[in-house]
């Protein structure tokens, strides 16, 4: 555990709320524009890319000696696979297998809670009288 591990962990902890906020604002502006099927096509393409990246990251864990162009791609895509070991959580705290499983299980609910907090802050800042649940559900989706 070096200084770079702590810096990466802290950077990720700051980037996640900023990313959630940018996603919320972007989807809010998209709702106001009422764009056509282009955004639907882009969303489907990004979803397919995410699924492919996750499948490739699973393939990297097999004990196979991949040839060099593909091996480098697998190492690069490891970043996008939501792997908690890459964040060096073990440098911040020691965790057993049960705690690590609990942390992995709580990643999505914590992100959903962060989206809810961003939504409630937005409602407070704009002094909205309605809950505007559609914006919340689109961001969580």
């Amino acid at each position: 555990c070096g200084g770079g591990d702590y810096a990466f962990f802290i950077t990720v902890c700051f980037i996640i709320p900023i990313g959630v906020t940018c996603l919320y604002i972007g989807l809010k502006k998209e709702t106001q524009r009422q764009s056509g099927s282009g955004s639907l096509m882009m969303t489907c393409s990004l979803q397919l890319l995410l699924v492919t990246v996750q499948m490739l990251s699973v393939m990297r864990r097999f004990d196979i000696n991949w040839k060099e162009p593909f091996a480098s791609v697998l190492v690069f895509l490891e970043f996008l696979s939501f792997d908690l070991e890459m964040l060096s959580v073990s440098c911040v705290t020691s965790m057993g297998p049960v705690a690590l499983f609990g942390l992995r299980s709580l990643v999505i609910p914590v992100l959903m809670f962060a989206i809810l907090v961003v939504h409630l802050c937005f409602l407070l800042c704009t002094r909205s009288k309605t809950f505007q649940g559609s914006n919340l559900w689109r961001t969580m989706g």
Side-chain angles (χ1 to χ4, degrees):
C1 294
D5 292 333
Y6 292 113
F8 183 69
F9 183 78
I10 291 170
T11 303
V12 168
C13 289
F14 280 115
I15 287 176
I16 288 174
I18 292 170
V20 166
T21 305
C22 291
L23 176 67
Y24 183 83
I25 291 170
L27 288 174
K28 176 94 173 131
K29 287 183 179 182
E30 180 187 357
T31 303
Q32 293 169 352
R33 281 191 310 231
Q34 292 297 331
S35 62
S37 64
S39 63
L40 177 64
M41 190 65 139
M42 185 176 70
T43 303
C44 290
S45 299
L46 288 175
Q47 187 176 15
L48 284 172
L49 176 68
L50 182 63
V51 169
T52 304
V53 164
Q54 287 180 340
M55 287 188 325
L56 288 174
S57 68
V58 169
M59 287 177 59
R60 184 178 183 278
R61 294 184 183 262
F62 294 140
D63 192 22
I64 299 173
N65 293 328
W66 299 104
K67 297 294 180 192
E68 186 43 45
F70 190 64
S72 298
V73 170
L74 290 177
V75 169
F76 176 72
L77 293 178
E78 184 81 20
F79 177 72
L80 300 174
S81 68
F82 305 123
D83 190 11
L84 293 178
E85 284 92 20
M86 192 182 76
L87 292 178
S88 301
V89 177
S90 61
C91 292
V92 178
T93 183
S94 61
M95 298 175 65
V98 175
L100 190 60
F101 175 75
L103 182 66
R104 284 182 182 158
S105 300
L106 288 176
V107 166
I108 299 298
V110 166
L111 283 175
M112 292 174 84
F113 181 74
I115 292 169
L116 177 65
V117 168
V118 167
H119 179 70
L120 293 176
C121 288
F122 177 78
L123 293 179
L124 286 174
C125 290
T126 59
R127 299 182 196 273
S128 176
K129 296 189 189 305
T130 61
F131 184 68
Q132 299 177 8
S134 64
N135 293 328
L136 176 65
W137 304 133
R138 286 187 71 208
T139 307
M140 282 189 184

CSV table of all heavy atoms in Angstrom, one decimal, residues 69-118:
chain,number,residue,atom,x,y,z
A,69,PRO,N,-2.0,-8.4,-27.6
A,69,PRO,CA,-2.9,-7.3,-27.8
A,69,PRO,C,-4.2,-7.5,-27.0
A,69,PRO,O,-4.7,-6.6,-26.4
A,69,PRO,CB,-3.3,-7.4,-29.3
A,69,PRO,CG,-2.3,-8.2,-29.9
A,69,PRO,CD,-1.7,-9.1,-28.9
A,70,PHE,N,-4.7,-8.7,-26.9
A,70,PHE,CA,-5.9,-9.0,-26.1
A,70,PHE,C,-5.6,-8.9,-24.6
A,70,PHE,O,-6.5,-8.4,-23.9
A,70,PHE,CB,-6.4,-10.4,-26.5
A,70,PHE,CG,-7.8,-10.6,-25.9
A,70,PHE,CD1,-8.9,-9.9,-26.4
A,70,PHE,CD2,-8.0,-11.6,-25.0
A,70,PHE,CE1,-10.2,-10.1,-25.9
A,70,PHE,CE2,-9.3,-11.9,-24.5
A,70,PHE,CZ,-10.4,-11.1,-24.9
A,71,ALA,N,-4.5,-9.3,-24.1
A,71,ALA,CA,-4.1,-9.2,-22.7
A,71,ALA,C,-4.1,-7.8,-22.3
A,71,ALA,O,-4.6,-7.5,-21.2
A,71,ALA,CB,-2.8,-9.9,-22.5
A,72,SER,N,-3.6,-6.9,-23.1
A,72,SER,CA,-3.5,-5.5,-22.7
A,72,SER,C,-4.9,-4.9,-22.6
A,72,SER,O,-5.2,-4.1,-21.8
A,72,SER,CB,-2.7,-4.7,-23.7
A,72,SER,OG,-1.4,-5.2,-23.6
A,73,VAL,N,-5.8,-5.3,-23.6
A,73,VAL,CA,-7.2,-4.8,-23.6
A,73,VAL,C,-7.9,-5.3,-22.3
A,73,VAL,O,-8.6,-4.5,-21.7
A,73,VAL,CB,-7.9,-5.3,-24.8
A,73,VAL,CG1,-9.4,-5.0,-24.8
A,73,VAL,CG2,-7.3,-4.6,-26.1
A,74,LEU,N,-7.7,-6.5,-21.9
A,74,LEU,CA,-8.3,-7.0,-20.7
A,74,LEU,C,-7.9,-6.3,-19.5
A,74,LEU,O,-8.7,-6.0,-18.6
A,74,LEU,CB,-8.0,-8.5,-20.6
A,74,LEU,CG,-8.7,-9.4,-21.6
A,74,LEU,CD1,-8.3,-10.9,-21.4
A,74,LEU,CD2,-10.2,-9.3,-21.5
A,75,VAL,N,-6.6,-6.0,-19.4
A,75,VAL,CA,-6.1,-5.2,-18.2
A,75,VAL,C,-6.7,-3.8,-18.2
A,75,VAL,O,-7.1,-3.3,-17.1
A,75,VAL,CB,-4.5,-5.1,-18.3
A,75,VAL,CG1,-4.0,-4.2,-17.3
A,75,VAL,CG2,-3.9,-6.5,-18.0
A,76,PHE,N,-6.8,-3.2,-19.4
A,76,PHE,CA,-7.4,-1.9,-19.4
A,76,PHE,C,-8.9,-1.9,-19.0
A,76,PHE,O,-9.4,-1.0,-18.3
A,76,PHE,CB,-7.3,-1.3,-20.8
A,76,PHE,CG,-7.9,0.0,-21.0
A,76,PHE,CD1,-7.4,1.2,-20.4
A,76,PHE,CD2,-9.1,0.1,-21.8
A,76,PHE,CE1,-8.0,2.4,-20.6
A,76,PHE,CE2,-9.7,1.4,-21.9
A,76,PHE,CZ,-9.2,2.5,-21.3
A,77,LEU,N,-9.6,-2.9,-19.5
A,77,LEU,CA,-11.0,-3.0,-19.2
A,77,LEU,C,-11.3,-3.4,-17.8
A,77,LEU,O,-12.5,-3.3,-17.3
A,77,LEU,CB,-11.7,-4.0,-20.2
A,77,LEU,CG,-11.7,-3.5,-21.6
A,77,LEU,CD1,-12.4,-4.6,-22.5
A,77,LEU,CD2,-12.5,-2.2,-21.8
A,78,GLU,N,-10.3,-3.8,-17.0
A,78,GLU,CA,-10.5,-4.2,-15.6
A,78,GLU,C,-11.0,-2.9,-14.8
A,78,GLU,O,-11.7,-3.1,-13.9
A,78,GLU,CB,-9.2,-4.7,-15.0
A,78,GLU,CG,-9.2,-5.1,-13.6
A,78,GLU,CD,-9.8,-6.5,-13.5
A,78,GLU,OE1,-9.7,-7.3,-14.5
A,78,GLU,OE2,-10.3,-6.9,-12.4
A,79,PHE,N,-10.6,-1.8,-15.3
A,79,PHE,CA,-11.0,-0.5,-14.6
A,79,PHE,C,-12.5,-0.3,-14.7
A,79,PHE,O,-13.1,0.2,-13.8
A,79,PHE,CB,-10.3,0.7,-15.3
A,79,PHE,CG,-10.7,2.0,-14.7
A,79,PHE,CD1,-10.3,2.4,-13.5
A,79,PHE,CD2,-11.5,2.8,-15.4
A,79,PHE,CE1,-10.6,3.6,-12.9
A,79,PHE,CE2,-11.9,4.1,-14.9
A,79,PHE,CZ,-11.4,4.4,-13.6
A,80,LEU,N,-13.1,-0.7,-15.8
A,80,LEU,CA,-14.6,-0.5,-15.9
A,80,LEU,C,-15.4,-1.7,-15.4
A,80,LEU,O,-16.6,-1.6,-15.6
A,80,LEU,CB,-14.9,-0.4,-17.4
A,80,LEU,CG,-14.2,0.8,-18.1
A,80,LEU,CD1,-14.4,0.8,-19.6
A,80,LEU,CD2,-14.6,2.1,-17.5
A,81,SER,N,-14.8,-2.6,-14.7
A,81,SER,CA,-15.6,-3.8,-14.3
A,81,SER,C,-16.1,-3.7,-12.9
A,81,SER,O,-16.6,-4.7,-12.4
A,81,SER,CB,-14.7,-5.1,-14.5
A,81,SER,OG,-13.7,-5.0,-13.5
A,82,PHE,N,-16.0,-2.6,-12.2
A,82,PHE,CA,-16.5,-2.4,-10.9
A,82,PHE,C,-15.9,-3.4,-9.9
A,82,PHE,O,-16.5,-3.9,-9.0
A,82,PHE,CB,-18.1,-2.5,-10.8
A,82,PHE,CG,-18.8,-1.6,-11.7
A,82,PHE,CD1,-19.7,-2.2,-12.7
A,82,PHE,CD2,-18.6,-0.3,-11.7
A,82,PHE,CE1,-20.3,-1.3,-13.5
A,82,PHE,CE2,-19.3,0.6,-12.6
A,82,PHE,CZ,-20.2,0.0,-13.5
A,83,ASP,N,-14.6,-3.6,-10.0
A,83,ASP,CA,-13.8,-4.5,-9.2
A,83,ASP,C,-13.4,-3.7,-8.0
A,83,ASP,O,-12.6,-2.7,-8.1
A,83,ASP,CB,-12.7,-5.1,-10.0
A,83,ASP,CG,-12.0,-6.2,-9.2
A,83,ASP,OD1,-12.6,-6.6,-8.2
A,83,ASP,OD2,-10.9,-6.6,-9.6
A,84,LEU,N,-13.8,-4.1,-6.8
A,84,LEU,CA,-13.4,-3.4,-5.6
A,84,LEU,C,-12.0,-3.6,-5.2
A,84,LEU,O,-11.4,-2.7,-4.5
A,84,LEU,CB,-14.4,-3.8,-4.4
A,84,LEU,CG,-15.8,-3.4,-4.6
A,84,LEU,CD1,-16.7,-3.9,-3.4
A,84,LEU,CD2,-16.0,-1.9,-4.7
A,85,GLU,N,-11.4,-4.7,-5.6
A,85,GLU,CA,-10.0,-4.9,-5.2
A,85,GLU,C,-9.1,-3.8,-5.9
A,85,GLU,O,-8.0,-3.5,-5.4
A,85,GLU,CB,-9.5,-6.3,-5.6
A,85,GLU,CG,-10.0,-7.4,-4.6
A,85,GLU,CD,-11.3,-8.0,-5.1
A,85,GLU,OE1,-11.6,-7.8,-6.3
A,85,GLU,OE2,-12.0,-8.6,-4.3
A,86,MET,N,-9.5,-3.3,-7.0
A,86,MET,CA,-8.8,-2.3,-7.7
A,86,MET,C,-8.7,-1.0,-6.9
A,86,MET,O,-7.7,-0.3,-7.1
A,86,MET,CB,-9.4,-2.1,-9.1
A,86,MET,CG,-8.5,-1.3,-10.0
A,86,MET,SD,-9.2,-1.0,-11.6
A,86,MET,CE,-10.3,0.3,-11.1
A,87,LEU,N,-9.7,-0.8,-6.1
A,87,LEU,CA,-9.7,0.5,-5.3
A,87,LEU,C,-8.7,0.4,-4.1
A,87,LEU,O,-8.6,1.3,-3.4
A,87,LEU,CB,-11.1,0.8,-4.8
A,87,LEU,CG,-12.1,1.2,-5.8
A,87,LEU,CD1,-13.4,1.4,-5.2
A,87,LEU,CD2,-11.7,2.4,-6.5
A,88,SER,N,-8.1,-0.8,-3.9
A,88,SER,CA,-7.2,-1.0,-2.7
A,88,SER,C,-7.9,-0.7,-1.4
A,88,SER,O,-7.4,0.0,-0.6
A,88,SER,CB,-6.0,-0.2,-2.9
A,88,SER,OG,-5.3,-0.5,-4.1
A,89,VAL,N,-9.1,-1.3,-1.2
A,89,VAL,CA,-9.8,-1.1,0.0
A,89,VAL,C,-9.1,-1.7,1.2
A,89,VAL,O,-9.1,-1.3,2.3
A,89,VAL,CB,-11.3,-1.7,-0.1
A,89,VAL,CG1,-12.0,-1.6,1.2
A,89,VAL,CG2,-12.0,-1.0,-1.2
A,90,SER,N,-8.3,-2.7,0.9
A,90,SER,CA,-7.5,-3.4,1.9
A,90,SER,C,-6.4,-2.5,2.5
A,90,SER,O,-6.0,-2.7,3.6
A,90,SER,CB,-6.8,-4.7,1.4
A,90,SER,OG,-6.0,-4.3,0.3
A,91,CYS,N,-6.1,-1.4,1.8
A,91,CYS,CA,-5.1,-0.5,2.4
A,91,CYS,C,-5.8,0.4,3.4
A,91,CYS,O,-5.2,0.9,4.3
A,91,CYS,CB,-4.5,0.4,1.2
A,91,CYS,SG,-3.5,-0.5,0.1
A,92,VAL,N,-7.1,0.7,3.2
A,92,VAL,CA,-7.8,1.6,4.1
A,92,VAL,C,-8.2,0.8,5.4
A,92,VAL,O,-8.1,1.3,6.5
A,92,VAL,CB,-9.0,2.2,3.4
A,92,VAL,CG1,-9.8,3.1,4.3
A,92,VAL,CG2,-8.6,3.0,2.2
A,93,THR,N,-8.7,-0.4,5.2
A,93,THR,CA,-9.2,-1.2,6.3
A,93,THR,C,-9.0,-2.7,5.9
A,93,THR,O,-9.0,-3.1,4.8
A,93,THR,CB,-10.7,-0.9,6.6
A,93,THR,OG1,-11.0,-1.7,7.7
A,93,THR,CG2,-11.6,-1.2,5.5
A,94,SER,N,-8.8,-3.5,7.0
A,94,SER,CA,-8.7,-4.9,6.7
A,94,SER,C,-10.1,-5.5,6.8
A,94,SER,O,-10.9,-5.2,7.7
A,94,SER,CB,-7.8,-5.6,7.8
A,94,SER,OG,-8.4,-5.4,9.0
A,95,MET,N,-10.4,-6.3,5.7
A,95,MET,CA,-11.8,-6.9,5.6
A,95,MET,C,-11.6,-8.4,5.4
A,95,MET,O,-10.8,-8.8,4.6
A,95,MET,CB,-12.5,-6.2,4.5
A,95,MET,CG,-12.7,-4.7,4.7
A,95,MET,SD,-13.5,-3.9,3.3
A,95,MET,CE,-15.1,-4.7,3.3
A,96,GLY,N,-12.5,-9.1,6.0
A,96,GLY,CA,-12.6,-10.5,5.7
A,96,GLY,C,-13.5,-10.8,4.5
A,96,GLY,O,-14.0,-9.9,3.9
A,97,PRO,N,-13.6,-12.1,4.2
A,97,PRO,CA,-14.4,-12.4,3.0
A,97,PRO,C,-15.9,-12.0,3.1
A,97,PRO,O,-16.5,-11.6,2.2
A,97,PRO,CB,-14.3,-13.9,2.8
A,97,PRO,CG,-13.4,-14.4,3.9
A,97,PRO,CD,-13.0,-13.2,4.7
A,98,VAL,N,-16.5,-12.1,4.3
A,98,VAL,CA,-17.9,-11.8,4.5
A,98,VAL,C,-18.1,-10.3,4.4
A,98,VAL,O,-19.0,-9.8,3.8
A,98,VAL,CB,-18.3,-12.3,5.9
A,98,VAL,CG1,-19.8,-11.9,6.2
A,98,VAL,CG2,-18.2,-13.8,6.0
A,99,ALA,N,-17.2,-9.5,5.0
A,99,ALA,CA,-17.3,-8.1,4.9
A,99,ALA,C,-17.1,-7.6,3.5
A,99,ALA,O,-17.8,-6.7,3.0
A,99,ALA,CB,-16.2,-7.4,5.9
A,100,LEU,N,-16.2,-8.2,2.8
A,100,LEU,CA,-16.0,-7.8,1.4
A,100,LEU,C,-17.2,-8.2,0.5
A,100,LEU,O,-17.6,-7.4,-0.3
A,100,LEU,CB,-14.7,-8.6,0.8
A,100,LEU,CG,-14.2,-8.1,-0.6
A,100,LEU,CD1,-13.9,-6.7,-0.5
A,100,LEU,CD2,-13.1,-9.0,-1.0
A,101,PHE,N,-17.8,-9.3,0.8
A,101,PHE,CA,-19.1,-9.6,0.1
A,101,PHE,C,-20.2,-8.6,0.4
A,101,PHE,O,-20.9,-8.2,-0.4
A,101,PHE,CB,-19.5,-11.0,0.5
A,101,PHE,CG,-20.9,-11.4,-0.1
A,101,PHE,CD1,-21.0,-11.7,-1.5
A,101,PHE,CD2,-22.0,-11.4,0.7
A,101,PHE,CE1,-22.2,-12.0,-2.0
A,101,PHE,CE2,-23.2,-11.7,0.1
A,101,PHE,CZ,-23.4,-12.0,-1.2
A,102,GLY,N,-20.3,-8.2,1.7
A,102,GLY,CA,-21.2,-7.2,2.1
A,102,GLY,C,-21.0,-5.9,1.4
A,102,GLY,O,-21.9,-5.2,1.0
A,103,LEU,N,-19.7,-5.5,1.3
A,103,LEU,CA,-19.4,-4.3,0.6
A,103,LEU,C,-19.8,-4.3,-0.8
A,103,LEU,O,-20.3,-3.4,-1.4
A,103,LEU,CB,-17.9,-4.0,0.8
A,103,LEU,CG,-17.4,-2.7,0.2
A,103,LEU,CD1,-18.0,-1.5,0.9
A,103,LEU,CD2,-15.9,-2.6,0.2
A,104,ARG,N,-19.5,-5.4,-1.5
A,104,ARG,CA,-19.9,-5.6,-2.9
A,104,ARG,C,-21.4,-5.5,-3.1
A,104,ARG,O,-21.9,-5.0,-4.0
A,104,ARG,CB,-19.3,-6.9,-3.4
A,104,ARG,CG,-17.9,-6.9,-3.7
A,104,ARG,CD,-17.5,-8.2,-4.3
A,104,ARG,NE,-16.0,-8.3,-4.5
A,104,ARG,CZ,-15.3,-9.4,-4.6
A,104,ARG,NH1,-15.9,-10.5,-4.5
A,104,ARG,NH2,-14.1,-9.3,-4.8
A,105,SER,N,-22.1,-6.1,-2.1
A,105,SER,CA,-23.6,-6.1,-2.2
A,105,SER,C,-24.1,-4.8,-2.0
A,105,SER,O,-25.2,-4.5,-2.4
A,105,SER,CB,-24.1,-7.1,-1.2
A,105,SER,OG,-23.6,-8.4,-1.4
A,106,LEU,N,-23.4,-3.9,-1.2
A,106,LEU,CA,-24.0,-2.6,-0.9
A,106,LEU,C,-23.6,-1.5,-1.9
A,106,LEU,O,-24.0,-0.4,-1.7
A,106,LEU,CB,-23.5,-2.2,0.5
A,106,LEU,CG,-24.2,-2.9,1.6
A,106,LEU,CD1,-23.6,-2.5,3.0
A,106,LEU,CD2,-25.7,-2.7,1.7
A,107,VAL,N,-22.8,-1.8,-2.9
A,107,VAL,CA,-22.4,-0.8,-3.8
A,107,VAL,C,-23.6,-0.1,-4.5
A,107,VAL,O,-23.7,1.1,-4.6
A,107,VAL,CB,-21.3,-1.3,-4.8
A,107,VAL,CG1,-21.1,-0.4,-6.0
A,107,VAL,CG2,-20.0,-1.6,-4.2
A,108,ILE,N,-24.4,-0.9,-5.1
A,108,ILE,CA,-25.6,-0.4,-5.8
A,108,ILE,C,-26.6,0.4,-4.9
A,108,ILE,O,-27.0,1.5,-5.2
A,108,ILE,CB,-26.3,-1.5,-6.6
A,108,ILE,CG1,-25.4,-2.1,-7.6
A,108,ILE,CG2,-27.6,-1.0,-7.3
A,108,ILE,CD1,-24.9,-1.2,-8.7
A,109,PRO,N,-26.9,-0.2,-3.7
A,109,PRO,CA,-27.8,0.6,-2.8
A,109,PRO,C,-27.2,1.9,-2.4
A,109,PRO,O,-27.9,2.9,-2.3
A,109,PRO,CB,-28.1,-0.3,-1.6
A,109,PRO,CG,-27.9,-1.7,-2.2
A,109,PRO,CD,-26.8,-1.6,-3.2
A,110,VAL,N,-25.9,2.0,-2.2
A,110,VAL,CA,-25.2,3.2,-1.8
A,110,VAL,C,-25.3,4.2,-3.0
A,110,VAL,O,-25.5,5.4,-2.8
A,110,VAL,CB,-23.8,2.9,-1.3
A,110,VAL,CG1,-22.9,4.2,-1.3
A,110,VAL,CG2,-23.8,2.2,0.0
A,111,LEU,N,-25.0,3.7,-4.2
A,111,LEU,CA,-25.2,4.6,-5.3
A,111,LEU,C,-26.6,5.2,-5.5
A,111,LEU,O,-26.8,6.3,-5.8
A,111,LEU,CB,-24.7,3.9,-6.6
A,111,LEU,CG,-23.2,3.8,-6.8
A,111,LEU,CD1,-22.9,2.9,-8.1
A,111,LEU,CD2,-22.5,5.1,-6.9
A,112,MET,N,-27.6,4.3,-5.3
A,112,MET,CA,-29.0,4.7,-5.3
A,112,MET,C,-29.3,5.8,-4.3
A,112,MET,O,-30.0,6.8,-4.5
A,112,MET,CB,-29.9,3.5,-5.2
A,112,MET,CG,-29.8,2.6,-6.4
A,112,MET,SD,-30.8,1.1,-6.2
A,112,MET,CE,-32.4,1.7,-6.7
A,113,PHE,N,-28.7,5.6,-3.1
A,113,PHE,CA,-28.9,6.6,-2.0
A,113,PHE,C,-28.2,7.9,-2.4
A,113,PHE,O,-28.8,9.0,-2.1
A,113,PHE,CB,-28.3,6.1,-0.7
A,113,PHE,CG,-28.5,7.0,0.5
A,113,PHE,CD1,-29.7,7.2,1.0
A,113,PHE,CD2,-27.4,7.7,0.9
A,113,PHE,CE1,-29.9,8.1,2.1
A,113,PHE,CE2,-27.5,8.6,2.0
A,113,PHE,CZ,-28.8,8.8,2.6
A,114,ALA,N,-27.0,7.9,-3.0
A,114,ALA,CA,-26.4,9.1,-3.5
A,114,ALA,C,-27.2,9.8,-4.5
A,114,ALA,O,-27.3,11.0,-4.5
A,114,ALA,CB,-25.0,8.7,-4.0
A,115,ILE,N,-27.8,9.1,-5.4
A,115,ILE,CA,-28.7,9.7,-6.4
A,115,ILE,C,-29.9,10.3,-5.7
A,115,ILE,O,-30.3,11.4,-6.1
A,115,ILE,CB,-29.2,8.6,-7.4
A,115,ILE,CG1,-28.0,8.2,-8.3
A,115,ILE,CG2,-30.3,9.2,-8.3
A,115,ILE,CD1,-28.3,7.0,-9.1
A,116,LEU,N,-30.5,9.7,-4.7
A,116,LEU,CA,-31.6,10.3,-3.9
A,116,LEU,C,-31.2,11.5,-3.2
A,116,LEU,O,-31.9,12.5,-3.3
A,116,LEU,CB,-32.1,9.3,-2.9
A,116,LEU,CG,-33.2,9.7,-2.0
A,116,LEU,CD1,-34.5,10.0,-2.8
A,116,LEU,CD2,-33.5,8.7,-0.9
A,117,VAL,N,-30.0,11.6,-2.7
A,117,VAL,CA,-29.5,12.8,-2.0
A,117,VAL,C,-29.3,13.9,-3.0
A,117,VAL,O,-29.7,15.1,-2.7
A,117,VAL,CB,-28.2,12.5,-1.2
A,117,VAL,CG1,-27.5,13.8,-0.8
A,117,VAL,CG2,-28.4,11.6,-0.1
A,118,VAL,N,-28.8,13.6,-4.2
A,118,VAL,CA,-28.6,14.6,-5.2
A,118,VAL,C,-30.0,15.2,-5.7
A,118,VAL,O,-30.2,16.4,-5.8
A,118,VAL,CB,-27.8,14.1,-6.4
A,118,VAL,CG1,-27.9,15.0,-7.6
A,118,VAL,CG2,-26.4,13.8,-6.0
